[in-house]
Amino acid sequence: MDLISILPDSVANQIAAGEVVDRPAGAVKEMLENSLDAGATQIDLVVKDAGRTLIQVIDNGSGMSDSDARLCFERHATSKIHRADDLFAIQTMGFRGEALASIAAIAQVEMRTRQPENDLGTEVRIEGSTIVDQHPTACKQGTSISVKNLFFNVPARRNFLKKDSVELGHIEEVFRRITLIHHDVGFSLNSNGKMLYNLPAGSLMARIAGLYGDVYKERLYAVDEETDIVKIHGFVSKPEYSRKTRGEQYIFVNGRFIKHPALSTAVERAYTDLLPERCYPSYFIGLSVDPAKIDINIHPTKTEVKFVDEHALFAILRSAVKRALGQFSLATELSFDTPNEFNIGPAPKDYRPQQPRTHYNPDYNPFHARATQSQIKFDSLYGTPERETPTMFEEQTGKDVTVSSAPIFSTGTCMQVQGRYIVTSLSSGLAVIDQCRAHERILFDRMCKNTSESSDRQTLMFPIQCQFSPADAELIAELLPELKRYGFEISPMGQCTFVVSATPSGMEDSQLQSLLDQLLCDYKGSTMQKYSRRDDSLCASLARQLSVKEGVQLSQSEMQQLVADLFACPMAEMSPSGKRIITIVKPEELLK
Ligand code: ADP
Ligand code: MG
């Protein structure tokens, strides 16, 4: 009995689509790359509902002829290679001729395209691999492709999509990876009718600033190096602007974003001794190497690459970054090329200058000021001792019940070990308590509960300006009511700038920007997806960032307070991020 049949194209395309387009961001990547391959100098991306309902890419590139406009949706339809030999000299981002066929198999696609030599363009509509319409149309030179209702015929995939904020996050990441290195092309990203980024063609530095905010201009050092093996151009963060997560770390090889652990290590090694532990630099580095000396594993969704001269490359990159860090930190920072931020230009005719305003706190009285720094720290870290009966969530009744047994600790003498652990004796044995996690738990519980306008805030004598990327600015604006409940007083000032006039008490002013950056990073990041409520994810990030750190010496009374506060928490044994806080060494184990 014969069992084998050839799959129809529509089915084969749907299967291929699973590899190329696993989520909206996959389609975005393919379409942006096609526009680049078509030589576009301006590319506009429009998404609705994080790409679920619409992904539209409009470019001013070469356009397509009437028949190419149909053919491009066939599998293995490509204008980029014609014979096997071409594979070794690829200059384009794509070449497999699979992307559009895959996208058309799982969405409703409308395309308008016109080549410069034609007066009229063509419009094609295709749905689940079937062309349903084509007719001539008047349109701009270039190509506009609208992908609607992605996965409309693949419910399993559709159901696998994460919530919009996550999918949009993936789209933004694809957008950054492409726009950073193609800074000589103008791009924009519009989401649900809002312009998130509008990036004119310009230098790499201008592109970084456009994506992450103008503050980055002061945070980075340039890295430039040219050898026989490689040409390097990019920017690395000044050590003082390192972050606690590996955030903005981008390496590109010959115009493509790549992941290459050894090259990342090379950059990080250059920072040896310059960064606090578990802090990571940001970097945006482009490498150009002879294409014959690399093997990009050009699977459409992979980002790996192999180099012939890997060792040499590693050494060159590390020393180039090292030199950038050393050279600039010693030299006075004077720049002689006039950046355009000083070209303020003439004021409009009817412009009336405004009286400068000073911000001050009318309630400030230096004689009532909080006494010494150490006292401030102590109060704010541990708060007023809060004595309350611990409660526990009872599963059967679904209620919080009072824990009837007496508190399990007596405030014995505490000892701090290795700047991190508090050791104290309980009736059940010797407790070893992680001070960082314990404090994180205490702050988390207090923040989750204490949502009224509270004493836990400090008004700043000098309000501080913070700057964000356009996308982050939008997010911050959305989170303002929550942040207010945790003691922040933040108001918008212009599109990407915010003024902070109050913060949770105990926070250093100098931490503010990085704390908020980290908060947004956590909030967007996958680590926070386990928190079902957004309040919880914000509390968790704040608690982690504001908690006492490893290596901080605690006094006897501080330790006792910390232990007492910890045991007043219903979930004293586990930190909000699920790590163990207390280990008990039982008497019988002590005996051994
Ligand atoms: P590949 O990029 O691997 O060739 P795709 O399926 O992405 O395969 O695209 C198929 C073909 O359609 C391309 O080779 C190109 O000729 C054409 N094409 C796709 N997008 C555009 C565009 N934006 N402008 C001009 N031509 C395009
Ligand atoms: Mg392509």
Side-chain angles (χ1 to χ4, degrees), residues 357-547:
R357 264 182 282 169
T358 37
H359 298 273
Y360 65 94
N361 171 3
D363 299 330
Y364 178 72
N365 177 342
F367 302 104
H368 291 166
R370 297 152 302 186
T372 59
Q373 193 62 23
S374 66
Q375 251 177 308
I376 294 170
K377 271 273 159 60
F378 180 77
D379 285 353
S380 52
L381 284 180
Y382 305 113
T384 35
E386 206 176 291
R387 291 270 165 255
E388 64 162 39
T389 328
T391 56
M392 259 184 197
F393 184 74
E394 197 180 63
E395 250 172 43
Q396 290 111 329
T397 60
K399 285 191 193 128
D400 281 341
V401 294
T402 308
V403 179
S404 53
S405 60
I408 43 165
F409 76 100
S410 59
T411 325
T413 303
C414 301
M415 190 172 80
Q416 195 182 21
V417 180
Q418 290 185 326
R420 170 147 196 179
Y421 304 102
I422 298 171
V423 180
T424 189
S425 86
L426 302 179
S427 53
S428 53
L430 197 64
V432 183
I433 297 169
D434 184 311
Q435 70 184 41
C436 319
R437 293 176 188 172
H439 194 215
E440 194 181 325
R441 163 54 70 195
I442 296 165
L443 290 178
F444 179 80
D445 283 20
R446 282 172 58 205
M447 273 191 259
C448 288
K449 190 163 39 146
N450 186 8
T451 45
S452 58
E453 309 275 312
S454 67
S455 54
D456 281 346
R457 73 159 61 186
Q458 57 191 15
T459 307
L460 304 181
M461 228 203 318
F462 302 104
I464 298 173
Q465 280 190 18
C466 292
Q467 266 214 319
F468 302 95
S469 67
D472 280 0
E474 193 171 316
L475 197 56
I476 276 270
E478 201 180 294
L479 295 175
L480 286 184
E482 275 96 339
L483 292 171
K484 185 167 178 165
R485 274 188 266 140
Y486 306 133
F488 288 99
E489 198 61 64
I490 305 179
S491 39
M493 191 185 104
Q495 216 209 335
C496 297
T497 309
F498 289 79
V499 180
V500 182
S501 51
T503 64
S505 45
M507 240 191 77
E508 307 264 349
D509 294 3
S510 60
Q511 293 179 331
L512 190 57
Q513 175 86 47
S514 72
L515 180 130
L516 291 174
D517 283 347
Q518 188 64 52
L519 188 80
L520 291 175
C521 185
D522 289 345
Y523 182 67
K524 289 183 287 189
S526 53
T527 50
M528 288 296 154
Q529 276 165 34
K530 60 172 168 285
Y531 298 102
S532 49
R533 299 185 324 137
R534 82 179 194 184
D535 275 354
D536 290 355
S537 85
L538 292 173
C539 287
S541 174
L542 282 172
R544 187 158 40 74
Q545 295 193 67
L546 293 173
S547 59

Side-chain angles (χ1 to χ4, degrees), residues 305-323:
V305 63
K306 281 204 191 89
F307 298 96
V308 177
D309 306 308
E310 188 164 316
H311 283 296
L313 201 60
F314 183 97
I316 296 168
L317 181 58
R318 192 190 59 179
S319 72
V321 175
K322 225 174 163 166
R323 206 150 47 83

Side-chain angles (χ1 to χ4, degrees), residues 231-275:
K231 192 172 159 226
I232 303 174
H233 171 59
F235 293 91
V236 297
S237 61
K238 299 180 182 176
E240 62 267 36
Y241 292 110
S242 61
R243 309 182 57 152
K244 299 213 177 58
T245 52
R246 290 172 197 271
E248 291 117 26
Q249 302 193 328
Y250 294 92
I251 294 182
F252 303 91
V253 173
N254 295 357
R256 280 170 198 278
F257 172 83
I258 56 134
K259 283 191 185 140
H260 195 280
L263 291 186
S264 307
T265 308
V267 178
E268 288 184 10
R269 287 276 171 82
Y271 282 83
T272 307
D273 297 336
L274 293 175
L275 295 185

